[in-house]
C-alpha cells in the first residue's frame, strides 16, 4: 500500500531584514526579465543532481538565472520572492517524484507558469543511495551534465 499525505500547511516564523546580496541579485534579474531556475538541493544525491543540473541550465541559457528556493519560500518580502512570484515563467527542477519544492512553489505561482521537472527519470540512478558523498564527484558532475542537457533541449524547444 502506498503511503501518502493529504494537503497540509505549515506555520513559519516571521523574519525581519533582507540579504543585501540576494536583493541586488534578484533586482538585477527582475530588470533583465530572467526566468528563475529553482532546484531542490542535497545532501540527498537526487537533490544534488537537481541542484547541479539547475546551475548548468542557468549557465547555458542566458535568458535564465538561478533563484534561491529557500529565500523565495521563507522570506516573502524579499526581492527573490517577488522575482519568482512575478516572473512570466519559472523552471523548477526537483530531484525525484516526491517533487517537494515544486509542491510548495505551486502555492506561490500559478501552475501554468511553472515548468516542473522531475530529474530522476532523466538519469534513473541511485535508487539505493541517499548521501551525495556516496557518489564520486566526477560522476555527480557527469550525471548532472546529462540531465541538464536534456532539460536545456526541452526548454529550447518549448
Ligand atoms: S524532491 Fe526528492 S530529492 Fe528533492 S527534496 Fe524531495 S525527496 Fe529530496
Amino acid at each position: 500500500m502506498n503511503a501518502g499525505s493529504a494537503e497540509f500547511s505549515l506555520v513559519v516564523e516571521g523574519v525581519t531584514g533582507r540579504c543585501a546580496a540576494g536583493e541586488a541579485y534578484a533586482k538585477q534579474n527582475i530588470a533583465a526579465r530572467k526566468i528563475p531556475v529553482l532546484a531542490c538541493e542535497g545532501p540527498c544525491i537526487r537533490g544534488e543532481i537537481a541542484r547541479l543540473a539547475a546551475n548548468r541550465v542557468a549557465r547555458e541559457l542566458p535568458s535564465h538565472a538561478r533563484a534561491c528556493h529557500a529565500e523565495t519560500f521563507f522570506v516573502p518580502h524579499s526581492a527573490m520572492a517577488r522575482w519568482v512570484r512575478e516572473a512570466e515563467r519559472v523552471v523548477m527542477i526537483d530531484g525525484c517524484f516526491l517533487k517537494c519544492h515544486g509542491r510548495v512553489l505551486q502555492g506561490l505561482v500559478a501552475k501554468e507558469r511553472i515548468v516542473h521537472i522531475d530529474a530522476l527519470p532523466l538519469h534513473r540512478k541511485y535508487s539505493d543511495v541517499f548521501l551525495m558523498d556516496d557518489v564520486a564527484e566526477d560522476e555527480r558532475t557527469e550525471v548532472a551534465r546529462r540531465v541538464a542537457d536534456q532539460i536545456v533541449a526541452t526548454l529550447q524547444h518549448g
Side-chain angles (χ1 to χ4, degrees):
M1 188 176 75
N2 283 336
S5 305
E7 188 175 281
F8 61 93
S9 59
L10 287 176
V11 175
V12 180
E13 187 180 36
V15 62
T16 304
R18 289 184 164 89
C19 163
E23 288 296 296
Y25 173 79
K27 284 178 183 171
Q28 202 179 358
N29 286 316
I30 290 169
R33 302 177 65 81
K34 298 259 186 176
I35 297 166
V37 180
L38 298 139
C40 70
E41 318 212 351
C44 155
I45 181 62
R46 287 158 290 278
E48 176 66 359
I49 295 294
R51 183 186 76 84
L52 293 172
N55 290 347
R56 198 172 174 100
V57 167
R59 279 198 298 268
E60 292 192 7
L61 297 175
S63 54
H64 294 60
R66 280 289 267 127
C68 171
H69 75 271
E71 195 173 2
T72 299
F73 296 165
F74 304 123
V75 190
H77 60 281
S78 66
M80 191 75 67
R82 181 160 58 88
W83 173 32
V84 172
R85 280 197 308 265
E86 296 177 2
E88 86 185 42
R89 189 162 62 141
V90 181
V91 176
M92 175 74 242
I93 305 173
D94 265 317
C96 78
F97 61 93
L98 291 172
K99 296 185 173 176
C100 296
H101 297 74
R103 289 186 285 112
V104 179
L105 187 64
Q106 284 172 25
L108 298 176
V109 175
K111 214 170 175 176
E112 55 274 15
R113 287 196 286 123
I114 304 174
V115 181
H116 197 176
I117 295 162
D118 171 3
L120 189 56
L122 304 181
H123 60 84
R124 297 189 184 284
K125 292 172 79 77
Y126 312 127
S127 56
D128 54 350
V129 181
F130 184 79
L131 265 190
M132 67 179 211
D133 283 344
D134 288 341
V135 177
E137 187 173 355
D138 286 356
E139 182 178 329
R140 298 196 299 256
T141 305
E142 174 55 22
V143 170
R145 185 191 62 73
R146 281 192 272 118
V147 168
D149 287 351
Q150 293 174 75
I151 296 171
V152 166
T154 301
L155 295 173
Q156 281 175 329
H157 297 103

